[in-house]
């Protein structure tokens, strides 16, 4: 019903505006008696074979929602009812920021893809922390953290530490985002020396805690094999929990959408179906080259159960959805979970 009746109507409107409309509608519906129970009965699939322990955390199923959908942790309870095994909020920055100029989110419908240049628009770490402190569900939540746009790279660590401190008591794991293409200069932090220094200091602060939280690194799909080798070395050297592969790509190769439409959308990160193969390649390379030394969370182009299984077969411990969730609807989570049990 979603693909036949609902998404064609939603896709008539500006992508960012309809996102907020749907989120507000979900939040409103969730307040109506019995609606949460109805949503859970429709979209949740629990099975003992789906339960997984990764990085010391117990996930009810391996299908999570990637960062970017619920930037300010405003819908964790509602999204839990749609069957996800975990939710990643953010990217969160220390101070609120409006993000890049609109329009900044575009659909490439022929490719089942999105281009975004949101620019870490969010209400700040303190707001996200307050929202999470008041949530009712027990679903595992990750905090995806970044730096403010006007913070120079040589001061980036300060921003990540602020977010780490603000969110520590209300999230189950952290994700260090240095791979978004939409904050100028951010991807420079993926280079070996600055990234090692950043992660080493974060992990130092983490291990000083009574209950350290797993820290993951989210990487770009555009890294070379030698850069991926560096990532493997950095994860082992710093002792962080693992990697999320991958973020959006700056590539525009092999798209069905017309060149004019692509150029009209402009700069930004591409997500969705065109990213599926490359993301799986990166997952497989890291898992094989590291001899599965740490968990990898697979994300990028998962729009069907088959693509989810491909990433699991490549070595991914957990999975995340975003663009596939937009195009295929909430039933995708249940479909994947059922297929993983049958696998």
């Amino acid at each position: 019903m979603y693909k036949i009746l609902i998404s064609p109507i939603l896709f008539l409107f500006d992508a960012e505006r309809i996102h907020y409309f749907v989120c507000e509608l979900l939040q409103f519906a969730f307040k109506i008696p019995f609606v949460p129970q109805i949503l859970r009965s429709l979209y949740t699939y629990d099975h003992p074979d789906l339960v997984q322990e990764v990085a010391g955390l117990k996930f009810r199923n391996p299908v999570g929602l990637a960062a970017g959908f619920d930037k300010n942790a405003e819908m964790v309870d509602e999204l839990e009812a749609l069957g996800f095994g975990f939710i990643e909020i953010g990217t969160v920055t220390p101070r609120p920021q409006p993000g890049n100029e609109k329009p900044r989110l575009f659909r490439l419908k022929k490719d089942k893809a999105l281009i975004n240049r949101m620019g870490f628009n969010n209400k700040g770490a303190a707001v996200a922390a307050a929202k999470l402190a008041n949530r009712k569900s027990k679903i595992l939540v990750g905090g995806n953290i970044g730096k403010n746009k006007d913070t120079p790279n040589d001061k980036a660590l300060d921003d990540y530490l602020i977010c780490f401190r603000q969110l520590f008591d209300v999230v189950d794991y952290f994700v260090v985002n240095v791979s978004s293409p939409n904050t100028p200069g951010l991807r420079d932090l993926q280079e070996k020396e600055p990234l090692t220094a950043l992660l080493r200091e974060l992990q130092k602060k983490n291990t000083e805690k009574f209950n350290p939280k797993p820290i993951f690194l989210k990487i770009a799909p555009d890294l070379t094999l030698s850069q991926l080798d560096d990532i493997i070395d950095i994860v082992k050297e710093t002792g962080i929990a693992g990697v999320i592969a991958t973020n959006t790509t700056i590539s525009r190769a092999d798209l069905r959408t017309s060149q004019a439409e692509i150029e009209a959308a402009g700069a930004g990160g591409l997500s969705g179906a065109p990213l599926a193969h490359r993301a799986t390649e990166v997952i497989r390379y890291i898992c094989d080259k590291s001899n599965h030394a740490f968990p990898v969370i697979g994300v990028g182009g998962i729009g069907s159960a088959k693509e989810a299984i491909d990433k699991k077969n490549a070595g991914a411990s957990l999975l995340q959805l975003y663009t596939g969730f937009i195009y295929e609807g909430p039933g995708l989570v249940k479909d994947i979970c059922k297929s993983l049990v049958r696998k």
Side-chain angles (χ1 to χ4, degrees):
M1 188 175 73
Y2 176 85
K3 292 180 70 175
I4 296 172
L5 297 177
I6 298 176
S7 65
I9 297 172
L10 298 180
F11 285 13
L12 293 173
F13 300 93
D14 173 78
E16 185 173 356
R17 286 186 182 180
I18 206 67
H19 171 80
Y20 292 125
F21 171 76
V22 169
C23 291
E24 289 168 3
L25 189 63
L26 180 60
Q27 289 173 296
F28 173 78
F30 208 73
K31 296 173 183 176
I32 300 172
F34 304 112
V35 167
Q37 293 89 332
I38 293 170
L39 290 175
R40 287 191 183 94
S41 68
L42 288 172
Y43 298 118
T44 298
Y45 180 73
D46 291 319
H47 192 282
D49 290 349
L50 291 171
V51 178
Q52 288 186 240
E53 187 169 316
V54 176
L57 299 175
K58 192 174 183 179
F59 295 80
R60 77 175 185 187
N61 73 59
V63 186
L65 181 65
F69 192 93
D70 188 12
K71 291 178 179 290
N72 300 301
E74 294 171 324
M75 299 182 296
V76 170
D77 293 333
E78 291 86 344
L79 291 165
E80 181 272 341
L82 300 183
F84 288 104
F86 59 108
I87 306 291
E88 194 170 302
I89 63 100
T91 296
V92 168
T93 55
R95 290 172 282 112
Q97 61 182 27
N100 294 323
E101 186 178 345
K102 298 177 183 179
R104 55 195 181 182
L105 181 62
F106 308 88
R107 302 182 195 94
L108 305 185
K109 288 182 274 191
K110 290 181 181 178
D111 291 289
K112 291 191 174 181
L114 297 173
I115 290 176
N116 95 81
R117 52 172 176 272
M118 305 300 288
F120 289 175
N121 57 305
N122 74 107
K123 297 177 182 178
V127 170
K131 291 286 186 183
L132 289 173
N134 292 317
R135 67 189 178 97
K136 295 180 175 63
S137 65
K138 302 298 183 183
I139 191 169
L140 294 178
V141 174
N144 187 302
I145 58 177
K147 77 175 188 72
N148 281 110
K149 184 177 181 179
D150 59 0
T151 300
N153 279 2
D154 61 356
K155 299 292 184 184
L157 174 61
D158 296 338
D159 277 15
Y160 286 94
L161 287 173
I162 290 169
C163 293
F164 177 80
R165 288 192 293 267
Q166 291 267 19
L167 293 175
F168 188 86
D169 291 331
V170 291
V171 300
D172 298 289
Y173 69 88
F174 283 94
V175 179
V176 176
N177 189 351
V178 291
S179 52
S180 169
N182 301 317
T183 296
L186 183 72
R187 283 189 168 194
D188 293 341
L189 294 173
Q190 290 185 118
E191 296 301 321
K192 190 168 188 178
E193 186 176 338
L195 184 55
T196 302
L198 173 64
L199 293 176
R200 184 184 289 123
E201 189 61 28
L202 272 172
Q203 184 68 334
K204 179 185 174 184
K205 297 297 183 186
N206 189 34
T207 54
E208 290 171 358
K209 298 283 189 178
F210 174 73
N211 56 335
K213 305 289 174 74
I215 297 176
F216 290 85
L217 172 68
K218 190 164 188 176
I219 64 171
D222 309 305
L223 298 177
T224 64
L225 294 184
S226 64
Q227 287 174 314
L228 291 176
D229 290 338
D230 286 344
I231 294 296
I232 293 169
D233 291 341
I234 290 167
V235 173
K236 291 179 178 179
E237 181 181 338
T238 60
I240 65 167
V243 165
I244 296 184
T246 65
N247 211 321
T248 57
T249 179
I250 57 174
S251 172
R252 299 292 187 267
D254 301 322
L255 296 178
R256 299 177 189 174
T257 303
S258 71
Q259 191 61 34
E261 190 175 341
I262 295 168
E263 290 176 0
L270 177 77
S271 62
L275 183 56
H277 180 67
R278 176 57 183 166
T280 303
E281 279 186 333
V282 172
I283 293 163
R284 180 175 288 107
Y285 184 86
I286 291 174
C287 291
D288 290 349
K289 194 71 184 286
S290 70
N291 197 25
H292 298 266
F294 48 81
V296 174
I297 300 176
V299 56
I302 302 176
S304 70
K306 179 187 178 303
E307 285 149 1
I309 290 171
D310 285 346
K311 283 181 170 50
K312 290 287 282 184
N313 289 340
S317 301
L318 301 168
L319 308 167
Q320 289 182 327
L321 311 178
Y322 187 129
T323 305
F325 180 62
I326 302 297
Y327 276 93
E328 305 300 326
L332 178 60
V333 181
K334 192 172 186 177
D335 288 345
I336 291 173
C337 286
K338 285 185 172 182
S339 294
L340 289 173
V341 170
R342 291 195 299 265
K343 179 187 167 187

